[in-house]
Amino acid sequence: MPKVSIRFTVISLFIFLSALIVAIMLYIQYAFAQELIKRAIDDQIKLLSSKVEDNINYMDHANTNAVNIISDFLEKKEMNDFLQDRAKYISIFTNILTKNKDLYSIYTGFEDDSFFEVINLDIDESLRGLYNAKPDDRWLFVEIRKEAKKIILLDKYLNISSQTAVPNDYFVTKRPWYIKALKNSSAVKTEPYVFSNIKAKGITYSKSIPGTRNVFSLDLLINNLNNILKEYNGTTLQNSYILDKNAKIIASSSFRGNEQLLGKITDIIKKGKVKNHILKEEKIGNSRYVYSILPLNGEFLCSYGDVDKIIEPYKEKINFLILSMFLLLFALLPLIFYFSSIIVKPIILLVKESRKVKNRQFDKVQNVNTRVLEIHSLSKSLSDMSESICEYQTGLEEKVKERTLELNEKNKELERLSVTDKLTGLYNRIKLDETIDIETRRVNRYDEIFGIIIIDIDFFKSVNDTYGHQTGDSVLREFASILKESIRKTDTVGRWGGEEFIIICPESTLGSILILADKIKTRIEQYQFSTVGHKTASFGVATYKKGEKTEIMIDRADQALYEAKKKGRNRVETMETIPDPGMPERRYK
């Protein structure tokens, strides 16, 4: 096979590539300009649809999770719980609204047509005028009970600013979101609609509270979809819309557009002809448009662009490139022979050095000796760059390691806080339910044993009534300290609710748990509480029977606690048969 010189190769390749580039430019200019436009629009549509789809999926996922979590939290809560501890639920709802700027309101509807709703007044200025809110007002609380409706304005500290009673014309059990939620066991959402109080579109997410005919819901504004359409419309697309299955506009990048073209797009959607992505050209008047209809999560992403406006910058650039290529081709021909010998060799060496950078062999990169200043500078830059990358990579790895450690610590702290009662520092109900479930499964699988002690402070209400809630909180903290100091490392103690506490005792028989309960009862009797002096507590003890539901064991402990209260308090009781003292028994240590 005949050999050819690199000089000849470079010259031939240069001429060939130059001619090929010119031919391609002409080909693009006169043959495939329209296809190029469609591809540009298609690429922009894909980017836009990706952002819209991600936003819709995130919105559905986040809000569906929210209604699932909160409805499960409210599972055992009755309407009386809302009435007795209304401030607690308002606080929970306002925290959720604060963290999500697109949430309009959170509410709960009851089967007796009672209704509780918290509305974010900052979501829309018209709300303040509608409800005569003051500048300091932050939240609106709507309460409907026994056909009486109250409008309550709250400041940012959840203090009541004003309260008004108005005639009630809102019946929960007749609302579409309530009816739809009861027909489904999982979370549901409505089609986008215009809210009654503000001129904005939104979606309602709802879920029936397990075990009840009550429904928890939240309203979400979809203004952020307008912003996404505006942000990612780019220079290629003239306008973009999100339409529902009835061809009604949900969101738009602009309120002004070509009404005739939009009408054609809506007709296609109404006829149900859109199964896959449609990308077509349409002439309206003297203008040509390329429009796109893309099915997206039950909705349709529609966009269009003016062909003449899109193609204009392409024409200018292509003509300029063609002229430049011709001039460059003729100007470089006399110089190619000279530059080929000077350029080719150092370029090959430079490629080898660049491969070292690619393979992260930064310490082996060397400068290329050449008379060409630019290649010499490039070689020097490559060497400096490899050194900088090496240093940067080393520093970045250290920073990543540090940030990872910090993040792990934060995650551990967040995990601890999520299962800890804020007042007492003991485990909260979430952790306790999880622990009981783990012990139950362990017993059923491995034939082990465990039991619980439910403890209630005697006459605790009188402490709050006599000394105030701060003293009551202090008693709860001291009481929690006694419990923590009295249990084994394998036991779990937590706040069950109010002045009730629970101790979960794995690998413990009824007799050993009774010993523990009596031991704690004695310590509490002898303890001198701050301000209130001596206090007592009543104890209910139960053990888990293999195969039964945990609720049955908890109910036995509650019954035993009630029996202790009934017999005069400051007692340890159980509804189970106490073992014979003469029988061998594992003692509690």
Side-chain angles (χ1 to χ4, degrees), residues 21 29 40 49 54 67 156 163 170 178 191 229 233 254 269 283 328 356 380 412 414 428 431 485 489 582:
I21 290 173
Q29 170 69 17
S49 65
D54 288 348
V67 295
K156 64 180 180 180
Q163 180 172 296
Y170 190 90
Y178 178 89
E191 296 291 335
L229 293 180
N233 220 34
S254 173
I269 293 174
K283 186 173 183 180
L328 185 63
K356 294 178 183 178
K380 182 69 168 56
K412 289 179 182 178
L414 286 174
N428 60 19
K431 178 65 175 180
E485 294 170 358
K489 292 182 179 179

Side-chain angles (χ1 to χ4, degrees), residues 415-421 425-439 441 490-496 502 504:
E415 183 179 0
R416 185 188 69 80
L417 291 174
S418 68
V419 297
T420 302
D421 177 61
L426 301 180
Y427 286 130
N428 60 19
R429 189 67 176 265
I430 295 174
K431 178 65 175 180
L432 294 171
D433 287 340
E434 179 186 337
T435 303
I436 291 175
D437 182 61
I438 290 172
E439 290 299 323
R441 285 189 275 112
T490 55
D491 295 335
T492 302
V493 60
R495 189 178 180 189
W496 194 239
I502 190 170
I504 303 168

Side-chain angles (χ1 to χ4, degrees), residues 510-524:
L510 177 62
S512 62
I513 298 174
L514 290 171
I515 292 172
L516 171 64
D518 193 63
K519 170 185 172 183
I520 297 173
K521 180 181 77 69
T522 302
R523 294 191 66 174
I524 293 170

Side-chain angles (χ1 to χ4, degrees), residues 122-213:
D122 288 345
I123 203 81
D124 193 283
E125 279 299 324
S126 62
L127 285 172
R128 295 186 175 275
L130 182 63
Y131 292 102
N132 297 320
K134 300 175 184 177
D136 292 336
D137 292 336
R138 179 67 176 84
W139 308 102
L140 176 69
F141 179 60
V142 180
E143 177 183 358
I144 300 175
R145 184 163 57 95
K146 296 181 179 179
E147 299 184 357
K149 183 175 181 180
K150 291 181 181 180
I151 305 297
I152 302 172
L153 291 170
L154 307 171
D155 62 18
K156 64 180 180 180
Y157 302 108
L158 304 185
N159 297 318
I160 296 177
S161 172
S162 65
Q163 180 172 296
T164 308
V166 298
N168 178 42
D169 57 353
Y170 190 90
F171 298 96
V172 171
T173 53
K174 296 180 180 180
R175 304 306 298 174
W177 55 266
Y178 178 89
I179 296 171
K180 187 175 182 180
L182 291 183
K183 292 180 180 179
N184 295 271
S185 58
S186 57
V188 297
K189 72 171 185 175
T190 64
E191 296 291 335
Y193 65 99
V194 178
F195 289 150
S196 58
N197 291 339
I198 57 176
K199 294 181 180 180
K201 285 188 176 181
I203 297 173
T204 296
Y205 292 83
S206 303
K207 187 177 186 298
S208 59
I209 299 173
T212 72
R213 292 185 65 79

Side-chain angles (χ1 to χ4, degrees), residues 368-380:
V368 176
N369 295 320
T370 176
R371 289 180 292 171
V372 181
L373 178 61
E374 287 76 11
I375 296 180
H376 175 76
S377 299
L378 185 59
S379 174
K380 182 69 168 56

